[in-house]
Amino acid sequence: MGDAEYDHLISLQLGGDPNDPRNLWVEPADPGHMKGAGVNNRKDPVETELHTAVCKGQVTLAAAQQAIVTDWTTALTTLHLG
C-alpha cells in the first residue's frame, strides 16, 4: 500500500466533492509500477484532459463525471477524446 494514493474518484477539477466519503478511494499504483518508487498515477492526466474538454465545450461536465466514474481507463475513448 506504500505506493497507493488516497484520491478522489471524481477529481476536484471535475467538480468532485472533496469531503464526501463516497468520492474517496485508495487508488492502487498503476500496473507495472515498481514497488517503492512512489506514487505513479496515470489517472491524473485523464482528469486534466477531461477538464480541458469540459472547458472547451467538447463534452458536458455530467458526461465527463460519468465517464471517469464508470472506468477512468476508458473515459477518453468513451467520450471520443483520445
Side-chain angles (χ1 to χ4, degrees):
M1 292 301 292
D3 290 327
E5 176 183 0
Y6 198 51
D7 199 13
H8 297 96
L9 182 58
I10 299 175
S11 70
L12 303 183
Q13 64 182 329
L14 291 175
D17 188 326
N19 299 313
D20 187 335
R22 296 170 297 175
N23 193 39
L24 298 171
W25 68 306
V26 177
E27 183 177 353
D30 292 332
H33 179 66
M34 299 189 75
K35 186 175 179 169
V39 175
N40 177 22
N41 186 338
R42 291 185 292 183
K43 183 175 176 260
D44 290 345
V46 172
E47 295 166 347
T48 300
E49 278 197 55
L50 289 173
H51 176 259
T52 300
V54 168
C55 290
K56 288 183 175 181
Q58 297 172 319
V59 297
T60 66
L61 178 59
Q65 290 173 336
Q66 183 60 45
I68 204 152
V69 166
T70 300
D71 184 348
W72 72 265
T73 65
T74 61
L76 296 176
T77 304
T78 298
L79 297 172
H80 308 290
L81 298 172

